[in-house]
Amino acid sequence: SLYFILSLWAGLVGTGFSVLIRLELSAPGSVLGDFQLYNLIVTTHGLVMIFFLVMPMMMGGFGNWLVPMMLSLPDMGFPRLNNVSFWVLPVSMGLLFCSAFSEGGFGGGWTLYPPLSSIMGHSGPAMDFLILSLHIGGASSIMASINFYSTWGNMRAGCHQFYRVPLFCTSIGVTSFLLILAMPVLAGALTMLLTDRNFNTS
């Protein structure tokens, strides 16, 4: 339920950003009066919608509600890990908004590609806050995915052979496996970007 509350709130924030984007595009010239602000809104809208609406709601919310029920279980495999994986998400979102309010924010697009995300494109701490935010969000995804994958793979009731497991649970298990593979790659790329910005690596 906490996942749903957080993701609904993030969805309202992202929708507000979307309204501002549409407002800017509704007339020729600049309505907001600041092109960096527009780029910041587009970037924050994309990150909020993907990392704080879609992923927590689809995996965290529906997964935590439906997977134990469909597999005839009292709870997920690791309830405390589940708790930690939720409570680091508001911290991650807070860092995202710290990024938006520090020195004009980061306006390089939600894909974070250099050169806009390099020290030449955004020299202030906004990008570093954003990298830290996505690191913490990725750690949350990894913890939740380990929990889902363990629950799906090892905690089925005796009546649930693999071929009798509901397709939703299988989709959560496969998605968890893919997230466990993909999130460390994202973390590695973010770490390389962080060292490129702060320690002059290449």
Side-chain angles (χ1 to χ4, degrees):
S1 299
L2 289 171
Y3 273 113
F4 276 120
I5 292 168
L6 177 81
S7 56
L8 287 174
W9 187 83
L12 291 174
V13 172
T15 303
F17 285 135
S18 181
V19 169
L20 291 175
I21 293 168
R22 297 297 169 197
L23 182 68
E24 174 68 31
L25 297 176
S26 65
S30 176
V31 176
L32 296 173
D34 186 355
F35 297 117
Q36 168 65 14
L37 176 62
Y38 174 73
N39 289 338
L40 166 68
I41 289 171
V42 170
T43 303
T44 311
H45 165 75
L47 291 170
V48 164
M49 286 304 216
I50 290 172
F51 288 99
F52 301 105
L53 170 69
V54 174
M55 288 173 66
M57 182 176 280
M58 296 301 157
M59 287 290 290
F62 284 111
N64 275 302
W65 266 4
L66 296 177
V67 167
M69 187 169 59
M70 288 181 167
L71 294 180
S72 309
L73 301 174
D75 199 354
M76 297 292 291
F78 302 106
R80 288 187 181 91
L81 185 67
N82 206 7
N83 197 24
V84 172
S85 72
F86 169 77
W87 280 111
V88 296
L89 274 179
V91 175
S92 175
M93 197 168 189
L95 282 167
L96 175 66
F97 291 127
C98 284
S99 164
F101 287 110
S102 62
E103 293 192 9
F106 173 70
W110 69 270
T111 51
L112 314 181
Y113 287 151
L116 288 174
S117 60
S118 69
I119 199 73
M120 292 168 57
H122 285 82
S123 58
M127 185 63 209
D128 299 321
F129 276 124
L130 193 56
I131 289 171
L132 188 56
S133 166
L134 293 180
H135 262 304
I136 295 172
S140 167
S141 289
I142 290 171
M143 288 187 283
S145 297
I146 289 171
N147 197 1
F148 282 123
Y149 192 75
S150 306
T151 304
W152 170 71
N154 300 325
M155 290 188 63
R156 297 182 313 279
C159 60
H160 285 294
Q161 302 303 322
F162 257 123
Y163 64 89
R164 296 186 65 186
V165 169
L167 196 56
F168 176 79
C169 298
T170 303
S171 73
I172 289 286
V174 171
T175 306
S176 299
F177 176 73
L178 294 174
L179 276 172
I180 291 168
L181 291 182
M183 281 299 156
V185 178
L186 175 65
L190 289 170
T191 304
M192 288 191 280
L193 183 57
L194 189 68
T195 55
D196 284 355
R197 288 175 54 81
N198 296 297
F199 303 110
N200 201 26
T201 59
S202 55

